[in-house]
Amino acid sequence: MKILLIVCDGMGDRPCEELAGKTPLEAAYTPNLDLLASEGMCGLMDTIGVGVRPGSDTSHLSLFGYDPKEYYTGRGPFEAAGAEMQLQEGDLAFRANFGTVDENLVVTDRRAGRIDDVTGLCEAVDGLEADGVKFIIKAGTGHRAGLIMRGEGLSHCISDNDSHEEGAKILEVKPLDGTPEAKKTADALNTWVMKAHEILRDHPVNKKRIEDGKPPGNMILERGPGMLGKVPSMQERYGLKAACVAGAGLYKGVAKVVGMDLYTPEGATGKKNTDVKAKVNKAVELLNGEYDYVFIHIKATDNFSHDGDPKGKRDFIEKIDNAVAPLLELKDTVVAVTADHSTPCSIKNHSGDPVPLLIWGPDMRTDDVGEFGERPCGKGILHRIRGLDLMNELLNQTARSRIYGA
Ligand code: ZN
Ligand code: ZN
């Protein structure tokens, strides 16, 4: 028996005025998801804990059965892994992006005019050392990059150099605890930031941008420092050969860290224009092949919520429903459809509301829920579980769990 997990990012919502008091999922016409719900079992899930507002990174760890309290120190390593950088134990990783500063180091554009390619700029500073620490940087999409500090005795307990506002000077990185590791890390990062700035300031790409009247990418802003310890793979932990089908970097990163192979079919953009059908078809192909567990991530539900667009979210959920039709033909597979957190359109941000969950498979108890939605799922047989329970339940439903005791 195989497992397919579909996570529609931020799909959980609250009743919307624009949708006559329904949530986008309740308002959407979803015959396929409703059929899965009626043949399977439903419930609500707190991906981290009751009332906790989850980030996407911590919630995904939890959905894969990895306690974020044990494995999470910051977002950086997952972004770096998603950008296909090779992390080593003890590396400190950041989210980074190119911005523009003036001669007084005041940030005039946090995204360097949304510069579309920073490959050349990254190459100019990649591998630079400061205070005995090596700095590895790789271009991401647009103005973004992944940044790794590699050396002895580093700490993630340091502040950002990103002031998160324009018109303010970049911040000096400070140690956030009294350890020599935090001080060493902050000092090295401060030294590197200025070294890199001096190289970038005079780089031909930036000279050309200034000539063209565009803001140069002359400053690297860092945030989300995190250090990764030893993470057992899903193969080691559950005996599952696992794959991820996703377009957006962070989710690929979390999946890669827990040992999944990454697939991004053509058209899977991680944005509103993504090809959901291509993702589902890829997942079916992988399940029919050598994989025991496939995770599909669909990002845009969350984007519509952050934009406060419940009708757009409803329509996108209908697109998901249409794409999942081939799943009804799957044999010997347990399918779970859920979200990593709720992102109510009314607040345009993540909330601690539990998410709807359906689990469908050939041999399981069922309930009377006939529609996939927040309110119907609240009446389901799974009741209200935690994100960390999901993996156990999926292993149980696929007869893969080990007996506890004798
Ligand atoms: Zn999310
Ligand atoms: Zn979000």
Side-chain angles (χ1 to χ4, degrees):
M1 289 277 281
K2 302 195 167 189
I3 298 170
L4 172 62
L5 170 65
I6 303 180
V7 177
C8 307
D9 208 292
M11 181 167 66
D13 211 305
R14 293 179 182 173
C16 301
E17 233 172 82
E18 298 92 323
L19 302 173
K22 290 188 169 184
T23 68
L25 178 59
E26 290 167 357
Y29 175 65
T30 54
N32 295 311
L33 291 169
D34 293 349
L35 188 58
L36 293 173
S38 70
E39 292 182 359
M41 47 189 181
C42 293
L44 294 172
M45 177 164 62
D46 296 290
T47 53
I48 306 289
V50 173
V52 179
R53 291 174 59 210
S56 287
D57 41 17
T58 48
S59 57
H60 275 82
L61 278 173
S62 190
L63 297 179
F64 302 149
Y66 292 73
D67 190 344
K69 288 194 185 72
E70 197 176 328
Y71 294 102
Y72 186 81
T73 55
R75 181 163 172 151
F78 304 103
E79 291 280 351
E84 300 194 23
M85 297 179 85
Q86 296 299 328
L87 284 158
Q88 297 177 5
E89 213 176 322
D91 280 354
L92 181 66
F94 301 78
R95 304 173 73 186
N97 68 263
F98 283 76
T100 308
V101 293
D102 67 12
E103 56 285 358
N104 301 314
L105 303 179
V106 169
V107 179
T108 55
D109 191 322
R110 289 194 62 241
R111 299 182 180 88
R114 290 204 172 267
I115 182 168
D116 57 5
D117 184 9
V118 293
T119 309
L121 297 177
C122 283
E123 279 166 9
V125 294
D126 182 33
L128 207 60
E129 291 203 7
D131 302 351
V133 178
K134 189 171 181 185
F135 287 75
I136 303 155
I137 188 162
K138 186 173 177 230
T141 45
H143 57 287
R144 298 179 195 86
L147 175 66
I148 291 175
M149 286 178 78
R150 183 167 292 164
E152 295 282 299
L154 300 174
S155 165
H156 68 273
C157 294
I158 55 162
S159 63
D160 302 341
N161 78 336
D162 184 355
S163 62
H164 297 268
E165 56 181 317
E166 286 167 4
K169 211 176 154 186
I170 61 154
L171 302 175
E172 191 187 339
V173 178
K174 297 222 166 70
L176 297 179
D177 63 18
T179 60
E181 287 81 6
K183 177 156 186 348
K184 173 188 167 163
T185 309
D187 288 348
L189 186 52
N190 283 320
T191 306
W192 177 80
V193 164
M194 289 313 298
K195 263 189 162 178
H197 172 57
E198 277 160 30
I199 294 170
L200 295 170
R201 205 175 42 195
D202 302 323
H203 192 280
V205 167
N206 281 332
K207 287 196 164 154
K208 174 87 172 52
R209 285 182 69 80
I210 293 168
E211 264 175 43
D212 295 345
K214 293 176 184 162
N218 61 9
M219 177 54 71
I220 302 169
L221 301 169
E222 300 89 26
R223 61 192 191 280
M227 193 178 267
L228 212 53
K230 178 113 192 73
V231 185
S233 69
M234 288 182 84
Q235 179 79 56
E236 288 164 333
R237 220 168 152 161
Y238 312 116
L240 293 171
K241 186 165 172 58
C244 157
V245 181
L250 176 67
Y251 313 93
K252 292 198 246 179
V254 182
K256 185 159 179 218
V257 164
V258 300
M260 291 188 210
D261 294 334
L262 304 183
Y263 293 89
T264 304
E266 200 171 331
T269 59
K271 297 187 187 140
K272 289 176 178 176
N273 64 357
T274 196
D275 185 345
V276 189
K277 275 189 181 157
K279 284 185 177 170
V280 172
N281 293 342
K282 186 71 194 174
V284 169
E285 179 195 318
L286 296 170
L287 287 165
N288 286 331
E290 54 182 329
Y291 288 97
D292 307 306
Y293 175 104
V294 176
F295 153 62
I296 301 180
H297 182 263
I298 300 168
K299 176 68 191 162
T301 27
D302 189 54
N303 298 344
F304 282 106
S305 288
H306 283 290
D307 294 343
D309 179 2
K311 288 186 174 158
K313 188 173 177 181
R314 174 200 61 195
D315 295 348
F316 187 78
I317 291 170
E318 292 184 352
K319 187 169 149 185
I320 296 173
D321 183 80
N322 190 259
V324 300
L327 303 185
L328 293 158
E329 308 295 320
L330 280 177
K331 301 267 184 296
D332 301 326
T333 304
V334 167
V335 178
V337 185
T338 190
D340 57 341
H341 49 78
S342 293
T343 311
C345 291
S346 56
I347 57 176
K348 300 184 188 175
N349 211 330
H350 304 187
S351 75
D353 304 72
V355 298
L357 165 67
L358 78 78
I359 300 180
W360 173 89
D363 174 29
M364 59 178 54
R365 295 180 185 175
T366 56
D367 51 33
D368 296 329
V369 179
E371 187 200 334
F372 190 44
E374 289 82 346
R375 267 169 280 212
C377 282
K379 299 183 182 131
I381 200 175
L382 288 166
H383 305 290
R384 189 161 172 170
I385 66 169
R386 293 178 317 150
L388 275 175
D389 298 326
L390 178 66
M391 196 63 191
N392 285 336
E393 187 58 56
L394 295 175
L395 292 170
N396 174 48
Q397 295 301 338
T398 49
R400 287 174 176 271
S401 35
R402 290 189 199 109
I403 200 157
Y404 176 60

